[in-house]
Amino acid sequence: MKPWGAIPAPQFNLRLTLESGQVFHWVPEGDGYCGLIGERPVRVEQVGQELRVTPGTEEAVARYFALDHDLEAICASFPADPTMAQAAAFCSGLRLIRQPLWECVATFLTSSMKQVAHIRQMSHALRQRFGRSIPGWGVAVYPEPERLARATEAELRGCGLGYRAKHLLGTARSIAEGAVDLEALRALDDAEALAELCRLPGVGPKIANCALLFGYERLRAFPIDVWIERVLRRSYFARKRKVTAGQLREFAANAFGPYGGYAQQYLFHHARSQPRAGGGVKTSATRRAP
DNA sequence: ACCCAGGGGCAAG
DNA sequence: CTTGCCCATGGG
């Protein structure tokens, strides 16, 4: 009997998906990754068009990595332009992960102004310090809002959060005391859910859209950060001088269709993987030219 | 609408 | 080793 469960995974690229800035707690191990899906420890490795996973986690893994998303239909819905085509080709097999809500909101809250390496460090520090640890497993469960609500700002700063400590504490308390109910937001439309998320301290339009996209599976959500802003200005507003944030938002909402979030993720990851584009090199996959 | 604090890893000097 | 870059949110 095989020591793993097998899942067919056509049109899927595990490495690309896990290293595209969606989640920050998976640890490379051998030719695969160890991590958690919610509270469940999982090891996953891709061999060709098959995933080999911890036995019993097949269903959770398939759902987490959204293997049911129809990538062909999604890519076919994108606007037909060279920028989009290049990004889609570069990101072939990249899927949007279905993340647990609280973990998603909290992690993206801490991501503001931070590079991937540091977001990863903060995530692991918070997990180790406040989360339930699993014997024999290198990654601990992300701490519940109730647990973080009992922490002090100084303790959170001790996890490397800096000024984000205050925001995470405030947000954890809002949720722990029921001022905002993340589960209940599932019933709202995109705009209403966005507004509710923005009530949380440290959560603005960018992070709220990340939560909509990665947590609530609102595949139209289009988070705009400076990387995406550069792509949009360069590729879609090349002739215009003054383009306001509002114009960019409006354009993004209309031009990329029902799967705009996928388009955004592909444009984002492609842009960040270009060597020295815009000065900062951020992803672990990028390397400087010799 | 504009301006700037804030924080620490990391690349560059 | 030291300097400067990164770049979301909130508050003035």
Side-chain angles (χ1 to χ4, degrees), chain A residues 30-234:
Chain A
D31 293 325
Y33 294 86
C34 288
L36 293 163
I37 295 177
E39 303 199 341
R40 297 178 76 170
V42 175
R43 185 182 188 281
V44 55
E45 177 175 340
Q46 182 162 28
V47 179
Q49 300 205 332
E50 177 180 289
L51 291 182
R52 294 176 179 176
V53 305
T54 307
T57 66
E58 295 86 348
E59 209 172 312
V61 169
R63 174 164 177 77
Y64 184 71
F65 290 116
L67 298 183
D68 53 305
H69 284 171
D70 184 347
L71 283 196
E72 267 180 49
I74 287 167
C75 288
S77 77
F78 293 159
D81 64 72
T83 302
M84 196 63 245
Q86 270 196 308
F90 181 81
C91 295
S92 175
L94 197 171
R95 288 171 184 267
L96 293 183
I97 295 170
R98 285 192 184 96
Q99 302 187 28
L101 285 185
W102 163 244
E103 184 180 316
C104 179
V105 169
T107 302
F108 277 95
L109 187 158
T110 63
S111 78
S112 81
M113 287 277 291
K114 279 298 168 193
Q115 305 186 333
V116 170
H118 195 203
I119 301 168
R120 200 170 272 134
Q121 288 172 25
M122 290 186 288
S123 170
H124 282 291
L126 285 168
R127 287 167 182 275
Q128 190 164 356
R129 176 74 179 76
F130 299 105
R132 189 169 61 77
S133 61
I134 296 168
W137 204 248
V139 187
V141 177
Y142 201 89
E144 292 300 307
E146 291 76 14
R147 178 65 193 88
L148 293 183
R150 293 199 311 271
T152 65
E153 188 182 325
E155 285 178 317
L156 296 183
R157 281 180 177 266
C159 294
L161 269 69
Y163 65 86
R164 298 160 201 78
K166 191 174 183 177
H167 294 155
L168 183 60
L169 186 56
T171 286
R173 286 180 176 164
S174 288
I175 289 167
E177 70 195 19
V180 173
D181 181 348
L182 294 181
E183 277 298 330
L185 302 193
R186 292 190 193 276
L188 305 181
D189 68 30
D190 289 3
E192 292 170 335
L194 186 79
E196 280 297 299
L197 288 166
C198 287
R199 290 176 53 210
L200 296 166
V203 178
K206 194 270 179 181
I207 289 167
N209 270 304
C210 285
L212 284 186
L213 185 57
F214 302 126
Y216 292 88
E217 203 180 354
R218 305 299 172 94
L219 301 184
R220 288 197 90 100
F222 197 101
I224 297 178
D225 71 341
V226 292
W227 288 85
I228 280 296
E229 195 171 322
R230 280 181 204 136
V231 173
L232 294 183
R233 285 180 194 277
R234 201 194 61 219

Side-chain angles (χ1 to χ4, degrees), chain A residues 194 205 209 222 224 232 237 243-256:
Chain A
L194 186 79
N209 270 304
F222 197 101
I224 297 178
L232 294 183
F237 290 89
V243 185
T244 66
Q247 285 176 291
L248 286 176
R249 212 181 322 127
E250 191 188 342
F251 173 79
N254 296 323
F256 294 100

